[in-house]
Amino acid sequence: MTTVRVRNLTKCFGDTAVLDALSIDIPAGDRIALVGANGAGKTTLVRCLLGEYIHEGEISIDGFEPRADRSEVLSRVGFVPQLPPPLRMSARHLVEFTARIAGCDPARIDATALRLGLDVRGLAGRPFVKLSGGQKQKLLIACALGRPCDLLFLDEPAANLDPDARSAFFELLSERIGQATMLISSHRLDEVAPLVGRVVELDFGKIVLDDRVTDAGTLTSRLRCVVELTRPDEACRNALVEWKLSGDEAGLLFAGEIAGPDRLRFLGTASRYSGVIRRLEIETKEPR
């Protein structure tokens, strides 16, 4: 596994310091949630770690400097960007290109994509830029998690994923615990807190919080959810169906399972319909 060391990292765009003398150590095997408002510097930090930006200060990834030793660093990294790049290469070409860099069989990436609900064979000839948002995200995650690597940089990785794909994503991450160091960036703590054991918050390019959190233990846990409404409500029904909860004919009782790490996110959805929810039960099931 890979260790990351950052000292006095400063990155300016024009007169604005997006990262301001930032220092952090990421020991091998750490799972870190990198959180903060939009513009706090999260994506810029990740881009510096990837060697994409000239900067002041020092970065060491297992003794390698990301810009000077970029090939060596990138061979160790699985990366999911916040915004899908406008690649014109085909889906098949992207898989083969990633596999070639990582020195692995493209079938391994294909199999990972299939677990996320994406059949690359059916999209092989389509340009990446023409895929839907969800298809792009699944393919990028497959390219990151379907290759051998010991460092994962995931920038808003669960964006555009449906509940089934999110569940598969959590399972894939769980398989890398103890094998990879993870830095998971998001502007919402509830999206990533259950995935990690440490939270680092940025604000105006500085670290304002760096603390250990209660480890979720397993990313493959399942929650049995029951929601009873006081009256039929179309908006609430649609929201619950999106979470794969099944309703009765009267539209008053809904039940189903969600991924354990999605607990806070699901409660956030339910809170929007508190006026029509009579009963909400969540029971933790044994990991699959």
Side-chain angles (χ1 to χ4, degrees):
M1 288 183 288
T2 298
T3 298
V4 179
R5 183 175 184 270
V6 177
R7 289 293 178 272
N8 298 314
L9 178 62
T10 299
K11 175 60 184 175
C12 297
F13 293 101
D15 296 328
T16 303
V18 180
L19 297 175
D20 188 1
L22 184 150
S23 296
I24 186 172
D25 289 315
I26 304 176
D30 252 18
R31 288 180 286 146
I32 294 179
L34 183 65
V35 300
N38 289 332
K42 304 185 301 297
T43 296
T44 301
L45 173 58
V46 171
R47 296 288 181 177
C48 287
L49 293 172
L50 291 170
E52 295 184 6
Y53 290 152
I54 297 173
H55 57 78
E56 298 178 16
E58 300 178 359
I59 298 176
S60 172
I61 296 179
D62 269 1
F64 295 100
E65 200 280 320
R67 286 191 64 81
D69 309 301
R70 197 164 186 212
S71 295
E72 179 64 34
V73 168
L74 292 182
S75 69
R76 298 164 176 257
V77 175
F79 173 52
V80 178
Q82 180 181 13
L83 298 175
L87 300 176
R88 298 197 175 278
M89 67 174 66
S90 68
R92 171 51 53 197
H93 187 187
L94 177 58
V95 168
E96 293 176 348
F97 175 76
T98 302
R100 192 160 55 247
I101 291 176
C104 71
D105 188 341
R108 178 171 171 172
I109 297 175
D110 288 346
T112 302
L114 201 57
R115 289 179 62 179
L116 292 162
L118 183 70
D119 187 351
V120 179
R121 294 172 300 178
L123 304 171
R126 292 186 59 186
F128 177 83
V129 73
K130 297 292 186 181
L131 301 180
S132 70
Q135 290 171 333
K136 290 176 183 176
Q137 195 72 3
K138 291 175 183 178
L139 186 54
L140 290 172
I141 291 173
C143 287
L145 299 183
R147 52 166 292 179
C149 63
D150 51 13
L151 183 58
L152 290 169
F153 294 148
L154 310 176
D155 198 350
E156 303 282 359
N160 295 316
L161 293 184
D162 57 80
D164 286 343
R166 288 175 64 87
S167 180
F169 169 65
F170 298 144
E171 290 181 358
L172 288 165
L173 276 188
S174 73
E175 294 167 7
R176 306 304 287 270
I177 293 175
Q179 302 176 13
T181 304
M182 304 181 193
L183 186 63
I184 307 174
S185 174
S186 178
H187 69 284
R188 291 180 53 181
L189 180 58
D190 66 308
E191 290 276 359
V192 291
L195 311 180
V196 302
R198 179 181 172 192
V199 173
V200 174
E201 182 178 0
L202 297 187
D203 192 29
F204 294 104
K206 292 180 176 290
I207 294 176
V208 295
L209 172 71
D210 186 348
D211 201 7
R212 293 284 171 181
V213 298
T214 302
D215 199 309
T218 176
L219 300 181
T220 58
S221 63
R222 304 290 295 175
L223 302 175
R224 175 69 177 174
C225 302
V226 177
V227 181
E228 183 181 2
L229 307 185
T230 59
R231 56 179 170 78
D233 184 274
E234 187 68 16
C236 184
R237 174 194 172 280
N238 291 339
L240 295 175
V241 168
E242 285 185 7
W243 279 97
K244 307 296 184 181
L245 270 61
S246 300
D248 62 6
E249 291 185 3
L252 295 175
L253 188 65
F254 295 81
E257 292 185 5
I258 65 171
D262 263 337
R263 179 195 301 266
L264 293 178
R265 190 166 176 265
F266 176 76
L267 289 174
T269 297
S271 69
R272 298 201 296 269
Y273 305 100
S274 58
V276 295
I277 293 179
R278 181 198 308 275
R279 176 168 60 102
L280 172 60
E281 296 179 1
I282 297 179
E283 177 187 5
T284 302
K285 300 186 64 177
E286 291 297 322
R288 290 190 297 183

